[in-house]
Amino acid sequence: MMASSYNAKDEDGHHPGSVGSGGPGAVKSKKPDNTAFKQQRLPAWQPILTAGTVLPAFFMIGLIFIPIGIGLLVTSNNIKEFEIDYTGVDMFSPCFNCSQSYSWNSTSACTCSVPFTLDQPFESNVFMYYGLSNFYQNHRRYVKSRDDSQLNGDKSSLLNPSKECEPYRTSDKKSIAPCGAIANSLFNDTLELFYIHPNGSRIAIHLVKTGIAWWTDKHVKFRNPGENNNNLSIVFQDTSKPVNWRKPVYELDPSDPDNNGFINEDFIVWMRTAALPTFRKLYRIIQKKKDNMTPTLPPGNYSLEVIYNYPVRSFDGRKRMILSTISWMGGKNPFLGIAYITVGSVCFFLGVVLLIIHHKYGNRNNNADIPN
Amino acid sequence: MDLSSIRKLITRYCTGEESWVDSRTVYIGQKEPPPGTEAYIPQRFPDNRIVSSKYTFWNFIPKNLFEQFRRIANFYFLIIFLVQLIIDTPTSPTTSGLPLFFVITVTAIKQGYEDWIRHKADNAINQCPVHIIQHGKVVRKQSQKLRVGDIVQVKENETFPCDLILLSTSREDGTCFVTTASLDGESSHKTYYAVQDTKAFNTAEEVDTLHATIECEQPQPDLYKFVGRINIYLDRDEPIVRPLGSENLLLRGATLKNTEYIHAVAIYTGMETKMALNYQSKSQKRSAVEKSMNAYLIVYLCILISKALINTVLKYAWQANPNRDEPWYNQKTETERQRHVLIRAFTDFLAFMVLFNYIIPVSMYVTVEMQKFLGSYFILWDDDMFDEELGEGPLVNTSDLNEELGQVEYVFTDKTGTLTENNMELRECCVDGHVYVPHAICNGQILPGATGMDMIDSSPGVDGKEREELFFRALCLCHTVQVKEEETVDGIKRGIHQGKSTSFYISSSPDEVALVEGMKRLGFTYLRLKDSHMEILNREDEMERFELLEVLNFDSVRRRMSVIVRSSSGDYYLFCKGADSSVFPRVVSGKVEQVRARVEHNAVEGLRTLCVAYKKLTHEEYEETCHLLNRAKLALQDRDKKLAEAYDVIEKDFILLGATAVEDRLQDKAADTIESLHKAGMKVWVLTGDKMETAAATCYASKLFHRNTQILELTTKRTEEQSLHDVLFDLSRTVLRQHGSMTRDTFSGLSGDYQDYGLIIDGATLSAVLKPTQEVTSNGGNYKEIFLEICRNCSAVLCCRMAPLQKAQIVKMIKASKERPITLAIGDGANDVSMILEAHVGIGIMGKEGRQAARNSDYAITKFKHLKKMLLVHGHYYYIRIAELVQYFFYKNVCFIFPQFLYQFFCGFSQQPLYDTAYLTLYNISFTSLPILLYSLMEQHINMDILKRDPTLYRDIAKNSLLRWPTFIYWTFLGVFDAVVFFFGAFFLFDNTTFTSNGQMFGNWTFGTLVFTVLVFTVTLKLALDTHYWTWINHFVIWGSLLFYVIFSLLWGGIIWPFLNYQRMYYVFMQMLSSGPAWLSIILLIIVSLLPDVVKKVLCRALWPTTTERIQTKRQCLTAEQSTIFMLSQTSSSVSF
């Protein structure tokens, strides 16, 4: 608590000797009203930061922050996270061939399979991310290269996208839907997970592909044009697919009309540009088993099957697959916990220092001779 | 071709003929003079339209825009805006266009409104009816149609529509009374005289028959100077030539009083009237704070440019790899590729400039202006500075210098009317060494037995009696006092008899009123001036009449005035009164020694002394004198000089009669104020035209000099004995020796009893000191520097016998000395105007000597004692307020922009903005603008009562201490630190992981919003920590603007805005708030950012407290005790009820 004092001064302010002397009427008209505000005498709280007053605050911060920090750190440490790089830079890595023999025009998909082992069981929902490094999704030219009204289902923007989409605005004299560099560079690797049972059988793990995008994005911000027309191929017939795409936007997920076209969640997730050049994006969710007894991903051997489409080697990029459990505070990140503990301890330490100073100098100052 | 002749032609063509003719000819009634007298050159004069407005309806927009963009800051933002329009920039033009538009619009509306008011006022004046005589009839016309040469009729209580030469009045003697209250504030009635030869032209028809021309000088702004000549063509061929002076000139703006009507001819109209010429604005004064602000701006501009340069260079270094420059996922357009690399680099540089331009905020100027403008109202409203007698409070003529009031180091004050009341009272008079003291009076009422007097010395003999009566008559006659008339002559008589007439004497010089009133108490009553006869009532209640022949007016150079009268017996007398120094040299006989002794004695007592002398003239001598005077008066050129020469010849060979002593009481609390100013570390100099002894007495009385002050004299008396050179060196040696020992004393803690010095210098010596000498003294410095060195070591300086211009010279000299101190000049009279204009801050006192000082000052107050509150309280507050305002503005913009700079390192130097456009635009306009504005209006770090009680606190802010470079660097580093905390805090939080409980990821806009949220909260809370005075307004504004930020963000992200072509902020803020770690990190980052500042404050307060801080701490303890006592008493009282 800060020490404080309320200082309410008399607001009526009597004016001595104003009555009686010549022409009080004329005097009064020019005289300012004597309100507390105009006299700068509003009642006010006048706190002062002194060692004595901030001491308790410092100790309080220390006492609150350290436990929070410990809590955060423990939570973060309990989160299980597994990360595997499948770029295939290394000669011996399984995806080396795919990464070498890349071309946009190749019709045959290059697949590779990356084996990995989980030492610990992953419980509850497990979230599967893909991660890219050295990929500047936050480059200005890139960030602005989109047309939000086209993505919102605006018909005129569909056929006449924003200039910002250049040079990904038109191809073959048709407007591109979705236009822009972001959409054009949609991440198009397909990742599948298989559990290698100790007996050798490969069990495909069910990956849920919805719920990975913000609800508001999926339901409000991104809309397919022609709201009532279920046949997206007709809606998009005058448009052209982005040049790097293999299939048009209305074939992103033919199986599920609620996840197709602009409201395809993989697409929406990609369209939310990352803040930093190394980023991860939510790819799939592995839901926990119905019975809570067995972990979602038991320890053991797994295989990551990749349909390798996305080239990153040209710009020294890396591709990763991350499996992570989630707590209330999100994924594994010890930063917050450590920061809280550090700040808490610093405050506590400063509190002690101030206490000493307060004892040594506080009295001296208060007793110091102040001329009145 | 000859260039100069072309130029001459051009100037002639452009400016018109009359402006380079140095006199003008006015044809009265627009009539040509009789042929053959002179070539008739019709001159063109402007019409009588007063235009104080700046704009017309049509030119408002272009002219106002031009004016506004002449300000360098506005121009800078305009350039940024244009750059944004032209090139492809990271932020949309609205981010800088909108604030600029806002600022320009607000200013334009304010100026437009002011101009509209001026237009209205102009129209009211220009269209008010005036009466013009045309063809013998009175015609009503609009004032603006009045032309030079028109004959105007003005009735009582009407205001003169332009500058007029008085031709005739309704009064027989050709005089009229005028108040110039609206011009110079003097409410006394002044008498003006009609031209002698035209005063008979009384009716409209008669005036119309008048044939005359007036030659006069071209318009000039001096209100009290006018030189002209009237040529009247009567029936004869040869015109009658009469001189015209300022006593014939009725000024526009003055009002006719006590006179039924007058006829006058217009000579200066419209914008050429003296009033309009005086409207011309004074030179702009700039405060020290503004200068530091500009210096900071330059630093920030350099930072801005270097940031942009660094980023541009790094960008091209980084992009050297084509896969970085143009990876497959992020291709450039064809046009971009084809652009030359230099052009690209230049546009990139500009784009970075635009991205970082918010570091110099457009709103700072608006806030500073608003703070100054609104803040000045607190001075106007201040009840303590309101004067009940005058019914007036302080005036603020400029609000630009509010904070300068807190920085004053030198105070230059006038003596008479400023330190003293200028309420004169005759204390005694001395006739040939006999001293007479009028009866004590109270409140202007004479006690019974008014005719009596105390004679201290033995009563004089018969001869003495005669001399004594001559002395009294001299004082009754030698003045320019007017008697304000009642309805009837009887009224005056009655008034005088009942002793109530005290208030009826009016004069521009209070000394004269005091003398005439004093004479009344001694038995000689001046009744009035009637038909050029002065009537006085002598002790036996007999009327004596003297014909007033000539008045040789007072001026400050001659320092005396004279009248020539003829007594009823036909004797010619010349009476003269004046300062001793100007009378004694001209005296040939009389008891000079006794009178001189008495005068000196009185002067030491602090009384104002005047000497009275006379001489008898023969008729021939009088004729000669008349001739001399008339010749001088008729001169068109150098009339003043010629008059002065004539006066010099006339006023000599006097017989000394005696001397008077008038007391001028010190103003209320003048000594207390001076003591406070001393304690506050200010050096107080008294600059006066008075003589040394009187002034020194006042200085002692007002505690400027103390008993133990060692007085150093630098006066003519001393320099006569020694050479100026030696005196100066002597003094400087004395002072410096003392100075050296003094510093030793302060080290050993014995500073209490050091000698302090007071310097007295007079005008003549000063001009000798200031005279530029080529002679290089042995020390290498010239006199001026030695003098300054002496002054610097004196606690008080008194400069006496100063001419007005010398006052300004002194101020200028101190201003230019090497410490460049801030000076303040305070005065009440016209003779102080020059120093008021010269000093950094000029303060006028609305006193008895008219309003001229108040009009030319920056601030005007009613009493000298108000200076204390003005400087110690208002000045102190304004200074700390604006200092915080300036520092805080730079701080918050470093906090704002530096994260954006850091972000460039992580987005490939692509100028990607970190924050959304709306945040960029509104940060300075709305999220963080009001708290600092209100802080800068309301902050009181210490109670004003303590500030007043303890003037030493003023030293804490001396020398611009809150805006020095170390403080500025501290704030900037604090800003950089905070920015680093915001950015890297968010960076590590976002580092390759999620922080939502549903596993979804956030994008770059969430990153920016997180940083921005922490930023807004930190910056606002930082201000909250600095606020020492929390009124409900501060609470409302600080918490209100935080709440506004949250509500705005919710709203901004809550809707798909149809008019925007991007929806990047949609739900970003809400999604962020739905995550726990975001909250935790916001709290953490705010605390970490605020921590160093808190620690620094607490440590500094504990270890190296300033006086201010000590008092704050002490007060806190006291009030804590008091409040407990108060609470206890409250509870007990509530119990008892």
Side-chain angles (χ1 to χ4, degrees), chain B residues 146 185 228 390 393 521 825 1079:
Chain B
L146 196 66
L390 284 172
R521 272 182 268 126
W1079 284 83

Side-chain angles (χ1 to χ4, degrees), chain B residues 743-942:
Chain B
T743 42
R744 255 202 315 283
D745 278 350
T746 32
F747 278 123
S748 56
L750 289 165
S751 56
D753 55 357
Y754 70 88
Q755 183 79 50
D756 67 342
Y757 289 100
L759 179 75
I760 299 179
I761 183 167
D762 63 9
T765 323
L766 183 79
S767 51
V769 169
L770 293 186
K771 211 184 317 165
T773 44
Q774 299 305 314
E775 178 193 350
V776 176
T777 53
S778 53
N779 276 12
N782 54 13
Y783 290 160
K784 196 164 153 184
E785 261 149 43
I786 301 164
F787 175 64
L788 274 174
E789 188 61 40
I790 298 170
C791 291
R792 227 174 273 137
N793 292 304
C794 288
S795 57
V797 177
L798 164 65
C799 306
C800 43
R801 296 283 189 223
M802 288 283 138
L805 217 59
Q806 276 185 314
K807 291 185 176 185
Q809 259 182 343
I810 290 208
V811 175
K812 199 173 197 166
M813 179 186 78
I814 294 294
K815 248 171 89 176
S817 70
K818 64 170 182 276
E819 295 100 346
R820 311 247 156 227
I822 308 290
T823 55
L824 177 144
I826 178 166
D828 71 324
N831 58 344
D832 305 316
V833 170
S834 57
M835 80 171 172
I836 283 175
L837 290 176
E838 180 64 46
H840 290 101
V841 188
I843 295 193
I845 289 195
M846 296 178 254
K848 295 197 167 170
E849 290 184 27
R851 283 288 171 101
Q852 251 202 332
R855 269 193 303 141
N856 287 292
S857 62
D858 304 309
Y859 301 88
I861 52 179
T862 50
K863 287 274 156 58
F864 182 72
K865 64 176 175 183
H866 295 151
L867 190 64
K868 184 175 168 184
K869 187 164 189 194
M870 192 93 169
L871 298 182
L872 297 186
V873 178
H874 288 293
H876 198 139
Y877 279 162
Y878 285 123
Y879 178 71
I880 57 148
R881 287 169 184 172
I882 202 139
E884 172 91 6
L885 172 71
V886 170
Q887 300 279 24
Y888 179 76
F889 247 102
F890 286 110
Y891 158 80
K892 78 174 172 136
N893 285 293
V894 172
C895 287
F896 180 44
I897 288 310
F898 204 69
Q900 201 143 258
F901 172 71
L902 292 174
Y903 193 54
Q904 299 310 308
F905 290 84
F906 300 93
C907 69
F909 304 101
S910 60
Q911 301 121 23
Q912 171 63 21
L914 185 55
Y915 318 113
D916 177 51
T917 308
Y919 288 157
L920 282 172
T921 314
L922 294 179
Y923 175 74
N924 272 317
I925 302 184
S926 55
F927 298 145
T928 59
S929 62
L930 275 184
I932 182 62
L933 178 64
L934 263 295
Y935 172 94
S936 65
L937 288 174
M938 315 280 294
E939 170 69 352
Q940 297 180 20
H941 61 312
I942 292 191

Side-chain angles (χ1 to χ4, degrees), chain B residues 1021-1041:
Chain B
L1021 291 178
K1022 158 82 179 128
L1023 188 68
L1025 282 178
D1026 286 351
T1027 305
H1028 292 104
Y1029 195 74
W1030 286 81
T1031 63
W1032 65 268
I1033 302 172
N1034 295 79
H1035 281 289
F1036 177 77
V1037 166
I1038 286 185
W1039 311 126
S1041 52

Side-chain angles (χ1 to χ4, degrees), chain B residues 312-532:
Chain B
T312 316
V313 170
L314 285 177
K315 180 184 167 111
Y316 282 87
W318 186 79
Q319 278 180 358
N321 179 347
N323 271 323
R324 283 197 184 142
D325 184 23
E326 208 178 351
W328 64 263
Y329 58 83
N330 191 9
Q331 305 276 314
K332 289 178 189 172
T333 57
E334 209 42 51
T335 45
E336 272 176 309
R337 268 187 217 131
Q338 279 162 3
R339 220 172 270 160
H340 190 269
V341 67
L342 280 178
I343 294 175
R344 270 192 308 198
F346 184 66
T347 27
D348 276 325
F349 173 73
L350 287 181
F352 279 120
M353 287 280 282
V354 166
L355 186 67
F356 302 140
N357 89 80
Y358 305 91
I359 202 165
I360 296 170
V362 74
S363 56
M364 181 165 74
Y365 291 93
V366 188
T367 315
V368 167
E369 296 243 312
M370 293 229 285
Q371 192 266 349
K372 288 183 169 181
F373 175 71
L374 296 175
S376 62
Y377 275 96
F378 284 119
I379 296 181
L380 286 179
W381 284 333
D382 194 326
D383 200 39
D384 295 343
M385 304 214 290
F386 186 81
D387 191 70
E388 301 288 349
E389 267 172 59
L390 284 172
E392 269 179 287
L395 278 180
V396 178
N397 293 334
T398 169
S399 54
D400 288 344
L401 299 170
N402 291 344
E403 68 276 2
E404 202 83 335
L405 293 172
Q407 291 296 304
V408 176
E409 287 164 76
Y410 280 84
V411 174
F412 298 95
T413 165
D414 178 37
K415 188 178 78 75
T416 316
T418 308
L419 283 178
T420 59
E421 286 263 14
N422 206 8
N423 187 7
M424 308 294 172
E425 213 171 82
L426 180 66
R427 275 285 293 274
E428 61 167 59
C429 37
C430 153
V431 186
D432 285 351
H434 304 293
V435 178
Y436 300 81
V437 178
H439 261 282
I441 49 156
C442 48
N443 299 334
Q445 297 261 340
I446 307 167
L447 293 176
T451 47
M453 60 177 164
D454 290 340
M455 278 174 221
I456 291 171
D457 277 3
S458 57
S459 72
V462 183
D463 180 44
K465 177 123 178 135
E466 201 174 282
R467 294 286 289 264
E468 170 201 316
E469 292 201 337
L470 192 60
F471 174 80
F472 292 155
R473 286 196 188 99
L475 283 178
C476 277
L477 297 171
C478 182
H479 58 71
T480 53
V481 170
Q482 292 162 33
V483 181
K484 194 179 173 185
E485 286 186 33
E486 288 263 78
E487 293 300 321
T488 58
V489 181
D490 293 341
I492 300 173
K493 245 179 180 167
R494 199 172 56 236
I496 289 163
H497 279 293
Q498 289 169 359
K500 285 202 299 191
S501 59
T502 332
S503 57
F504 289 118
Y505 291 124
I506 299 161
S507 166
S508 49
S509 153
D511 291 74
E512 290 197 326
V513 176
L515 287 175
V516 176
E517 272 173 11
M519 282 309 109
K520 194 165 74 194
R521 272 182 268 126
L522 289 170
F524 283 82
T525 310
Y526 170 63
L527 287 177
R528 67 190 153 260
L529 177 72
K530 196 179 174 189
D531 306 329
S532 304

Side-chain angles (χ1 to χ4, degrees), chain B residues 26-31 45 147-151 265-267 269:
Chain B
V26 177
Y27 301 95
I28 295 179
Q30 316 287 354
K31 276 178 282 202
F45 301 113
R147 285 163 59 218
V148 168
D150 282 346
I151 300 175
V265 61
I267 55 161
T269 51

